[in-house]
Amino acid sequence: MYCLLKLAPLFLAVAVCNGWLFGDFVGKQKEQDEISLWPLPQKFQSSAVAFKLSPASFQIVHAKQSSAGPSCGLLENAFRRYELHSPLFTFEPVLLYDSDLVELQVWVTSADPECDGFPSLQTDESYELSIDEPSAVLKAANVWGALRGLETFSQLVYEDYYGVNNINKTDISDFPRFAHRGILLDSSRHFLPLKVILANLEAMAMNKFNVFHWHIVDDQSFPYMSRTFPELSQKGAYHPFTHVYTPSDVKMVIEFARMRGIRVIPEFDTPGHTESWGNGQLDLLTPCYSGSSPSGTFGPVNPILNSSYDFMTQFFKEISTVFPDAYIHLGGDEVDFRCWESNPDIQKFMAQQGFGTDYSKLESFYIQRTQSKGYMVWQEVFDNGVKLKDDTVVEVWMGNKMEEELQNVTRAGFTTILSAPWYLDYISYGQDWQHYYKVEPLSFPGTDAQKKLVIGGEACLWGEYVDATNLTPRLWPRASAVAERLWSDKSVTDVGNAYNRLVQHRCRMVKRGIPAEPLFVGHCRQEYKGL
Amino acid sequence: MAMYCLLKLAPLFLAVAVCNGWLFGDFVGKQKEQDEISLWPLPQKFQSSAVAFKLSPASFQIVHAKQSSAGPSCGLLENAFRRYFEYIFGDLKKPEKSRKKVYDSDLVELQVWVTSADPKCDDFPSLQTDESYELSIDEPSAVLKAANVWGALRGLETFSQLVYEDYYGVNNINKTDISDFPRFAHRGILLDSSRHFLPLKVILANLEAMAMNKFNVFHWHIVDDQSFPYMSRTFPELSQKGAYHPFTHVYTPSDVKMVIEFARMRGIRVIPEFDTPGHTESWGNGQLDLLTPCYSGSSPSGTFGPVNPILNSSYDFMTQFFKEISTVFPDAYIHLGGDEVDFRCWESNPDIQKFMAQQGFGTDYSKLESFYIQRLLDIVAATKKGYMVWQEVFDNGVKLKADTQIHVWKGRPQYQDEMGQVTAAGFRALLSTPWYLNRISYGQDWVNIYKADPQNFTGTDAQKKLVIGGEACLWGEYVDATNLTPRLWPRASAVAERLWSDKSVTDVGNAYNRLVQHRCRMVKRGIPAEPLFVGHCRQEYKGL
């Protein structure tokens, strides 16, 4: 047994923290200095016994008992990725010492490892990790839990004073607190080059996020290239070739995300937020009137024409085949009624239907008719009393009366996710990550059954002020605060402890090539190499 | 002379609202041709017509005019010619030799004519530098006339901004006459390499961006409490023990040289700030007894405060240190800081208390601060350098040399009052208060940055003349290599136009339209300048 006295002059001393470390190693805090797990695992036990990892001999391998093997491309790629993350690549002579950790065995226990499947809301992401000599073992029901465990394993590795990779004897049993842990990116207000999306999927995996909510189109542009309606992007994108996502781009995003255990849920927001759709699809939008004649401008989707529903049927048929996830986000937020009110045909229809002047009834009428497979909607759809399928997920985004809304939605028996406190496009001076961190999604009054209906949350980075130039540093590590809130135990709330770990976690992201911005003054051993 | 009038279609650009004041000449209805011209900062005098010339990458050249005092031996201009050729035509992997034919409608060259006997190719820019230039675009040659290379650099940037791509992707430039000069002589950017270390690459990229915005001062807040990355030849322990890391997080003498030369090539002065007596915690690691030991009760607490002003050794150190600084940095000015001195440590120290009593300072510690600053100023004056100081030094009544520049940064009392007082006392003033770009908020904060005016205070014309400019400050608490550049640009561009263009250039709507295009131009040139609002650039940022 090789017990290492580590000197860590370049690292912030970690304050002794209760609650997240247990086991009998009082006074051995030093050994933990450089361990900076993020998000914090549910159960964690570590000791001061350290093993070395030799770049020449250490391997990540399939356990003999594992149902997954070399044919499991998803895991093979993940093994390679994590070996690259902790620079374990040289071709030195292979000598094994007693103090070495020679391998990490990855043991997938289910008969079906799900190598070629897609993650889903029901996915079991739990895993168990045991670091001991000569082998560490990562045990998970399927590849999704194995991915989470690999990330944790890589976070346990630290460099000692001589630059050698070490890992301490550790036992971890981990699982997410919430099943839906998402990031919303908006590729309509600004087009996001593929490279930016992929980099952020990488960063999501480092933070154990599992949903990419792709707000792909909106008023400003329609970059999604539809096979069924190619004119939508030809006329609705900022540029028909350089500012679009081709079918193969979309496929690549989905596959890149799948390899990291991330679901891709596209949002095609209607009936509002659709200005760009009108360029490529005649008569889809409601013509607005000024007085008795059309003003030349257009409003939400025209809800009184059968052609609108025919279009939506065909369009969403395509979407449901292109995107494998069981859910689609249908939007339904912020419908501006003024255009509908101005249009005499709409007025006539309202009278016929007996809606009076309550245009939210017309909105509900529309939404009712466009429901497809599993879907998510913004909270207005629920608020307006639209009849929803039982498995609908209602996304709560309005900042005022957030708790009341969670109460109402769950009382009505719907599952819900929270994003109201996590609009990361809102920036301010200083350490705003603490506000995101302190949010407790289940703090609203309600029964246990109601609390169970809160399946998670999303950090939203709306696109008005971000594009390829500034998106990534604006999102990270601020979104990491949300990641820990959604993964770790409810009791993990110590901001001081979180700060110390997050400082190191952000340096780890920087080291891995993600330009995650600083929390405050200080430095990373390895600063960002880009611009 | 065959006139070639091009009907341009610009479907991808925002229409520029017709704007008064910045365009003159008789071309009503010809706004379309101006759509894609997005000069930033706006020149003082600008006259353009719809007549367009084409620029062929195969034949167009930037050359020295025959009458010019500068020639091929002028490395500064040669480098600038190459830089601007690449900005205009992109990185040409291989020169196109297919088309040597010159058409009537072509602009074949830009002649750069430096008129002074000494073009100043190997000099450094200074506060007195004449940056004015005249630019005349006409066939077959455009002429850029300037007294020296510094004006020529500004004119080259303007020339490159006049070039636009037509519908077929061909570079065009309109018949244009420009006569331009800066409103203020000191137009600076402050970067802070102490709270976070800034890799050389980041500093150089921002010098590039500064040149695109006609900034001419890099105020290098190089050290502070948090770290001391400046590698001193005289006192190497300062960075060995005071930097975040003695090798990876320092600026070596050759790094510093490179920054200065890179800046010089772009007409940018480098003014280093070595802030004392406060903001010096990191100095104490490598220089024993420099800082004041703080006391808790009757014994030293183990912590340290500002520079110890009662020891001769402190002044000996400063004498040697600033002697080095004055040779390393060629600019005539050094920024000596002098801000935010915390008196609590001095108050706690019995030796300091004794000294205060001896000097008859009572309990007024600002007198002790003044005592220190006074001696420091004498030390620096002996190196033949001028100095800049933060406003506290003036506020505390320190006796200052007549050419001292007072840097106004505080929000309270109102900066307008401070500007009035500084200039009433006859000192030159620089404004930064409204331009603390490290402070961020949601939305288009560049608008308020743009609206601030350094001469907007009550005072005589003579007082107004003492305002030599301003600086946009990006303090380093929350920025490093990951996010500095997009946070600074294009927000600092708003300051650039305020400091260069005429006072009357204040139309925010017009500025928005030009700035949208200016930021896309920076992006195209490799600077990750963040968006102002929704929209797109023809060529988006290729990095991460």
Side-chain angles (χ1 to χ4, degrees):
Chain A
M1 296 251 277
Y2 183 87
C3 192
L4 184 74
L5 177 67
K6 287 189 296 121
L7 300 168
L10 296 173
F11 279 83
L12 287 170
V14 173
V16 176
C17 45
N18 304 318
W20 73 280
L21 297 173
F22 48 93
D24 59 341
F25 50 101
V26 178
K28 290 176 188 168
Q29 279 297 318
K30 268 212 153 158
E31 281 74 15
Q32 300 302 325
D33 281 5
E34 290 171 10
I35 296 177
S36 50
L37 296 175
W38 194 279
L40 202 64
Q42 299 280 350
K43 288 175 192 162
F44 176 89
Q45 189 157 16
S46 179
S47 92
V49 179
F51 311 117
K52 292 187 178 183
L53 281 71
S54 154
S57 61
F58 178 78
Q59 293 186 73
I60 305 179
V61 298
H62 299 280
K64 286 211 179 92
Q65 318 93 313
S66 181
S67 60
S71 69
C72 185
L74 184 145
L75 279 187
E76 290 291 325
N77 270 28
F79 292 178
R80 186 177 61 187
R81 201 161 63 240
Y82 283 104
E83 287 190 356
L84 287 170
H85 278 336
S86 31
L88 297 173
F89 265 135
T90 57
F91 297 95
E92 298 295 314
V94 179
L95 274 174
L96 289 185
Y97 296 92
D98 281 355
S99 58
D100 280 355
L101 185 75
V102 298
E103 61 183 14
L104 169 65
Q105 296 183 3
V106 178
W107 178 6
V108 177
T109 57
S110 297
D112 177 9
E114 302 187 30
C115 289
D116 301 312
F118 286 90
S120 76
L121 185 59
Q122 287 75 37
T123 287
D124 175 7
E125 292 173 287
S126 67
Y127 65 92
E128 285 177 13
L129 185 57
S130 159
I131 317 288
D132 207 339
E133 57 178 344
S135 293
V137 178
L138 166 60
K139 205 168 147 184
N142 53 51
V143 294
W144 316 116
L147 286 173
R148 304 292 168 249
L150 282 166
E151 176 60 35
T152 302
F153 179 82
S154 76
Q155 295 189 3
L156 286 168
V157 177
Y158 60 89
E159 279 184 30
D160 68 16
Y161 190 63
Y162 300 98
V164 174
N165 279 316
N166 275 248
I167 193 165
N168 284 15
K169 188 171 185 322
T170 306
D171 280 299
I172 288 178
S173 170
D174 200 12
F175 54 88
R177 182 176 172 210
F178 294 103
H180 183 118
R181 304 179 309 280
I183 294 280
L184 177 148
L185 297 183
D186 168 0
S187 59
S188 173
R189 268 90 179 197
H190 286 98
F191 179 77
L192 303 177
L194 211 56
K195 188 175 171 179
V196 171
I197 293 178
L198 301 186
N200 280 283
L201 288 168
E202 285 276 26
M204 285 172 66
M206 296 173 199
N207 289 275
K208 296 190 169 72
F209 276 106
N210 67 354
V211 176
F212 171 33
H213 175 163
W214 194 352
H215 189 86
I216 191 166
V217 302
D218 205 298
D219 283 332
Q220 286 78 6
S221 76
F222 197 103
Y224 173 77
M225 192 185 278
S226 162
R227 289 175 192 274
T228 322
F229 300 99
E231 299 224 315
L232 287 171
S233 63
Q234 269 164 30
K235 298 189 175 169
Y238 281 129
H239 187 282
F241 303 127
T242 59
H243 287 64
V244 294
Y245 302 106
T246 65
S248 82
D249 290 344
V250 172
K251 252 191 198 159
M252 189 189 289
V253 168
I254 293 168
E255 178 61 5
F256 196 91
R258 187 187 79 82
M259 300 287 271
R260 286 154 184 80
I262 298 170
R263 302 160 58 198
V264 178
I265 299 181
E267 177 180 353
F268 288 92
D269 192 354
T270 67
H273 287 281
T274 47
E275 196 182 323
S276 70
W277 302 49
N279 299 325
Q281 186 64 20
L282 276 185
D283 298 331
L284 179 65
L285 303 185
T286 309
C288 313
Y289 277 65
S290 108
S292 59
S293 54
S295 68
T297 62
F298 295 88
V301 170
N302 194 330
I304 67 170
L305 298 182
N306 281 329
S307 60
S308 297
Y309 299 100
D310 293 344
F311 167 83
M312 290 297 168
T313 304
Q314 283 187 73
F315 183 77
F316 278 104
K317 193 176 158 203
E318 171 184 327
I319 297 309
S320 68
T321 58
V322 168
F323 292 90
D325 200 83
Y327 283 84
I328 295 173
H329 202 302
L330 299 178
D333 60 320
E334 298 183 314
V335 181
D336 186 341
F337 294 146
R338 282 172 303 180
C339 182
W340 281 349
E341 284 165 5
S342 76
N343 182 305
D345 298 329
I346 303 263
Q347 289 162 11
K348 215 178 291 164
F349 185 83
M350 290 284 288
Q352 283 169 7
Q353 297 284 328
F355 290 165
T357 54
D358 184 354
Y359 284 84
S360 72
K361 285 189 176 149
L362 181 59
E363 180 186 353
S364 297
F365 173 86
Y366 167 82
I367 297 268
Q368 207 85 63
R369 289 190 58 177
T370 48
Q371 296 180 14
S372 58
K373 62 177 180 181
Y375 48 88
M376 297 173 61
V377 289
W378 296 108
Q379 69 179 73
E380 287 99 316
V381 178
F382 168 81
D383 296 347
N384 288 340
V386 176
K387 213 166 69 188
L388 297 165
K389 283 200 299 186
D390 288 344
D391 62 350
T392 303
V393 177
V394 178
E395 181 158 12
V396 175
W397 69 276
M398 289 180 160
N400 60 331
K401 299 184 180 169
M402 168 189 108
E403 296 201 346
E404 206 179 307
E405 182 75 8
L406 285 171
Q407 226 180 323
N408 293 339
V409 171
T410 53
R411 192 187 296 121
F414 290 106
T415 48
T416 183
I417 59 172
L418 183 63
S419 57
W422 294 319
Y423 266 37
L424 303 195
D425 49 321
Y426 288 113
I427 54 169
S428 58
Y429 185 70
Q431 297 199 39
D432 57 359
W433 70 273
Q434 296 185 10
H435 301 296
Y436 309 135
Y437 191 74
K438 286 176 182 164
V439 172
E440 169 47 54
L442 302 187
S443 64
F444 65 93
T447 64
D448 285 357
Q450 275 176 276
K451 305 280 169 99
K452 274 193 187 138
L453 289 169
V454 180
I455 56 168
E458 290 185 351
C460 300
L461 191 63
W462 295 100
E464 281 85 352
Y465 298 103
V466 292
D467 69 1
T469 61
N470 63 345
L471 183 145
T472 311
R474 185 154 298 178
L475 187 56
W476 308 103
R478 293 160 76 227
S480 302
V482 182
E484 179 151 299
R485 183 56 50 239
L486 294 174
W487 178 281
S488 304
D489 189 74
K490 189 176 181 170
S491 65
V492 179
T493 54
D494 181 333
V495 172
N497 172 263
Y499 176 83
N500 292 328
R501 284 182 294 117
L502 192 50
V503 162
Q504 293 181 52
H505 182 55
R506 100 94 187 174
C507 284
R508 178 166 48 226
M509 288 194 274
V510 168
K511 193 176 166 191
R512 294 177 182 183
I514 303 296
E517 67 179 19
L519 293 178
F520 193 52
V521 298
H523 80 294
C524 295
R525 210 186 272 203
Q526 195 172 309
E527 301 287 357
Y528 185 59
K529 299 242 185 282
L531 193 58
Chain B
M1 257 188 6
M3 302 250 278
Y4 183 93
C5 193
L6 184 74
L7 180 67
K8 287 188 297 125
L9 300 168
L12 297 172
F13 279 84
L14 287 170
V16 173
V18 175
C19 45
N20 304 317
W22 74 280
L23 296 171
F24 48 94
D26 59 341
F27 51 100
V28 179
K30 291 177 186 166
Q31 279 297 320
K32 267 212 157 160
E33 281 75 14
Q34 299 303 325
D35 280 6
E36 290 171 10
I37 296 177
S38 50
L39 297 175
W40 194 280
L42 202 64
Q44 300 279 349
K45 287 177 194 162
F46 177 88
Q47 189 157 15
S48 178
S49 93
V51 180
F53 312 116
K54 292 186 178 184
L55 281 71
S56 154
S59 62
F60 178 78
Q61 293 186 73
I62 306 177
V63 298
H64 298 281
K66 285 211 180 92
Q67 318 93 312
S68 180
S69 60
S73 68
C74 185
L76 185 144
L77 278 187
E78 291 292 326
N79 269 31
F81 291 177
R82 184 178 61 191
R83 194 161 69 243
Y84 283 102
F85 187 88
E86 283 174 3
Y87 283 162
I88 293 167
F89 295 107
D91 260 334
L92 292 176
K93 294 260 157 37
K94 46 180 181 183
E96 290 175 34
K97 288 184 178 155
S98 52
R99 191 187 155 208
K100 276 287 178 196
K101 263 185 164 173
V102 174
Y103 295 90
D104 282 355
S105 58
D106 282 353
L107 185 75
V108 298
E109 61 182 14
L110 169 65
Q111 296 182 1
V112 178
W113 177 7
V114 177
T115 57
S116 297
D118 177 7
K120 310 216 178 194
C121 291
D122 301 310
D123 275 21
F124 290 92
S126 75
L127 185 60
Q128 288 74 38
T129 287
D130 175 7
E131 293 173 286
S132 66
Y133 65 92
E134 286 178 12
L135 186 57
S136 159
I137 317 288
D138 207 342
E139 59 180 338
S141 295
V143 178
L144 166 60
K145 205 168 145 187
N148 53 51
V149 294
W150 316 117
L153 287 172
R154 303 294 168 247
L156 282 166
E157 175 61 36
T158 302
F159 179 84
S160 74
Q161 295 190 2
L162 286 167
V163 178
Y164 58 90
E165 279 183 29
D166 68 17
Y167 190 64
Y168 301 97
V170 173
N171 279 316
N172 275 248
I173 192 164
N174 285 15
K175 190 171 183 318
T176 305
D177 281 299
I178 288 178
S179 171
D180 199 12
F181 53 89
R183 180 177 168 210
F184 294 104
H186 184 119
R187 306 180 307 282
I189 295 278
L190 177 150
L191 298 182
D192 168 0
S193 59
S194 174
R195 268 90 179 195
H196 286 98
F197 179 77
L198 303 176
L200 212 55
K201 187 174 171 180
V202 171
I203 293 178
L204 301 186
N206 280 282
L207 288 168
E208 285 276 28
M210 284 172 66
M212 297 173 198
N213 289 274
K214 297 191 169 70
F215 276 107
N216 67 354
V217 176
F218 170 35
H219 175 163
W220 194 352
H221 188 87
I222 191 166
V223 302
D224 206 298
D225 282 332
Q226 286 78 8
S227 76
F228 197 103
Y230 172 77
M231 192 184 279
S232 162
R233 289 176 194 272
T234 321
F235 301 101
E237 298 223 315
L238 287 170
S239 63
Q240 270 165 29
K241 298 189 175 167
Y244 282 128
H245 187 282
F247 304 126
T248 60
H249 288 62
V250 294
Y251 302 106
T252 65
S254 81
D255 290 344
V256 172
K257 253 191 199 158
M258 189 190 289
V259 168
I260 293 168
E261 178 62 6
F262 195 92
R264 188 188 77 83
M265 300 287 273
R266 287 153 183 82
I268 298 170
R269 302 161 58 199
V270 178
I271 299 181
E273 177 181 353
F274 289 91
D275 192 354
T276 65
H279 288 280
T280 46
E281 196 181 324
S282 69
W283 301 49
N285 299 323
Q287 186 65 21
L288 277 185
D289 298 331
L290 179 65
L291 304 184
T292 308
C294 313
Y295 277 65
S296 105
S298 60
S299 54
S301 67
T303 62
F304 295 88
V307 170
N308 194 331
I310 68 169
L311 299 181
N312 280 328
S313 60
S314 297
Y315 300 100
D316 292 343
F317 167 82
M318 291 297 167
T319 304
Q320 286 186 70
F321 183 75
F322 279 103
K323 194 178 157 199
E324 171 184 327
I325 297 309
S326 69
T327 59
V328 168
F329 292 91
D331 199 82
Y333 285 83
I334 296 174
H335 202 301
L336 297 178
D339 59 321
E340 298 185 312
V341 181
D342 187 341
F343 294 145
R344 283 172 302 180
C345 183
W346 281 349
E347 284 164 6
S348 76
N349 182 305
D351 297 328
I352 303 264
Q353 289 161 13
K354 216 177 293 167
F355 185 83
M356 291 283 288
Q358 283 168 5
Q359 297 284 329
F361 290 165
T363 55
D364 184 354
Y365 284 85
S366 72
K367 284 187 178 153
L368 181 59
E369 180 185 354
S370 297
F371 172 87
Y372 168 82
I373 296 271
Q374 205 79 64
R375 290 189 64 175
L376 178 71
L377 296 186
D378 292 342
I379 287 167
V380 174
T383 68
K384 311 283 185 217
K385 294 282 187 185
Y387 38 74
M388 301 171 60
V389 289
W390 296 108
Q391 71 179 73
E392 286 99 318
V393 176
F394 168 81
D395 296 346
N396 288 339
V398 176
K399 210 167 72 190
L400 297 164
K401 279 201 303 180
D403 66 345
T404 302
Q405 300 172 0
I406 311 295
H407 200 159
V408 174
W409 69 277
K410 286 185 159 184
R412 283 190 202 125
Q414 287 211 321
Y415 69 81
Q416 289 88 345
D417 296 345
E418 181 79 7
M419 294 292 281
Q421 284 160 19
V422 169
T423 53
F427 291 108
R428 285 185 289 184
L430 271 170
L431 183 63
S432 278
T433 308
W435 297 323
Y436 265 39
L437 303 193
N438 49 304
R439 303 225 155 242
I440 54 169
S441 58
Y442 184 72
Q444 297 199 37
D445 60 356
W446 72 272
V447 174
N448 283 328
I449 295 167
Y450 188 72
K451 284 178 177 167
D453 192 298
Q455 287 178 328
N456 177 25
F457 64 89
T458 314
T460 63
D461 285 356
Q463 276 177 272
K464 302 288 170 86
K465 274 193 188 141
L466 287 168
V467 178
I468 57 168
E471 290 185 359
C473 299
L474 191 65
W475 295 99
E477 281 85 351
Y478 298 103
V479 291
D480 70 0
T482 62
N483 63 345
L484 183 146
T485 312
R487 185 154 297 177
L488 186 56
W489 308 102
R491 293 161 76 230
S493 303
V495 181
E497 180 151 297
R498 182 58 50 240
L499 294 175
W500 178 281
S501 304
D502 190 73
K503 192 174 181 169
S504 65
V505 179
T506 54
D507 181 333
V508 170
N510 171 264
Y512 176 83
N513 292 328
R514 284 182 295 116
L515 192 50
V516 161
Q517 293 181 53
H518 182 55
R519 100 92 188 175
C520 284
R521 177 166 50 227
M522 287 193 275
V523 168
K524 192 176 166 192
R525 295 178 182 184
I527 303 296
E530 68 178 20
L532 293 177
F533 193 52
V534 297
H536 79 293
C537 294
R538 208 187 271 204
Q539 195 173 309
E540 301 287 357
Y541 185 59
K542 300 240 186 284
L544 192 59

